[in-house]
Amino acid sequence: ALFLGSGAATDGRSGSVYVTVGSGDSGSGGEMKLMAGSSSAATGGRLSVISGVGGGSTSGALVLQTADAGTAGVSGMAILSTGAASSGNSGSLYIGSGASTTGRSGSVYVTAGTGDSGDGGEMTITAGTSTATATGGRMSIVTGFSSTSTSGALLLRTHDAGSKGESGHLVLSTGYGTS
């Protein structure tokens, strides 16, 4: 095994650990890959990225983002996906906040950024397709349950129009059938 870390501190902060790729002035920047081990007979190695525990306070933040673009070009893509499977199901992807025993659970925000040229960024949520003789994936939007009070509201609306134009259309429709 290989252990890379800083020592503990009994009075003060523990040391930070930085792993960086150097800068260059020609071509693309150097890559950084963090990859767990493969196995030809069992499950591959797990890769965990976990922020620090705050024993008497808030746990550490986890920031996963691409860098800002330079004077030209666009910022890099961020892809969060499970791999494909040739036999059996592909892995599931869960995005959520943790539970709270005293207080509110954390909110989850999925937003497209703001721009000043062209249309705003699209947001598409699509359930899985089945090429077999089976049903396509179901999509459920369910508000939160309350064991002692009112369940959460469900708000589905377009945004108000700006100084010109009209508010967006709201289309609720089933798909076409071929037979």
Side-chain angles (χ1 to χ4, degrees):
L2 173 65
F3 296 92
L4 178 66
S6 64
T10 57
D11 185 14
R13 296 180 57 177
S14 60
S16 300
V17 177
Y18 298 93
V19 181
T20 59
V21 178
S23 299
D25 60 4
S26 175
S28 301
E31 292 187 0
M32 179 181 292
K33 291 187 178 181
L34 186 61
M35 185 179 298
S38 301
S39 173
S40 59
T43 304
R46 182 172 62 179
L47 178 61
S48 300
V49 181
I50 304 172
S51 67
V53 175
S57 183
T58 309
S59 62
L62 176 61
V63 180
L64 181 64
Q65 72 170 57
T66 65
D68 297 337
T71 56
V74 298
S75 59
M77 289 193 299
I79 301 174
L80 183 61
S81 174
T82 64
S86 58
S87 177
N89 301 331
S90 62
S92 299
L93 176 63
Y94 295 90
I95 300 176
S97 64
S100 175
T101 55
T102 57
R104 296 180 56 176
S105 61
S107 300
V108 177
Y109 299 94
V110 182
T111 59
T114 302
D116 61 3
S117 175
D119 295 335
E122 293 187 0
M123 181 177 295
T124 303
I125 304 175
T126 307
T129 301
S130 174
T131 58
T133 308
T135 305
R138 182 176 62 179
M139 181 178 295
S140 300
I141 302 176
V142 183
T143 65
F145 168 74
S146 173
S147 60
T148 59
S149 185
T150 309
S151 62
L154 176 61
L155 178 62
L156 183 64
R157 68 182 292 257
T158 65
H159 207 289
D160 299 334
S163 58
K164 297 180 180 179
E166 57 185 24
S167 61
H169 297 288
L170 178 61
V171 180
L172 186 62
S173 173
T174 62
Y176 295 104
T178 57
S179 62

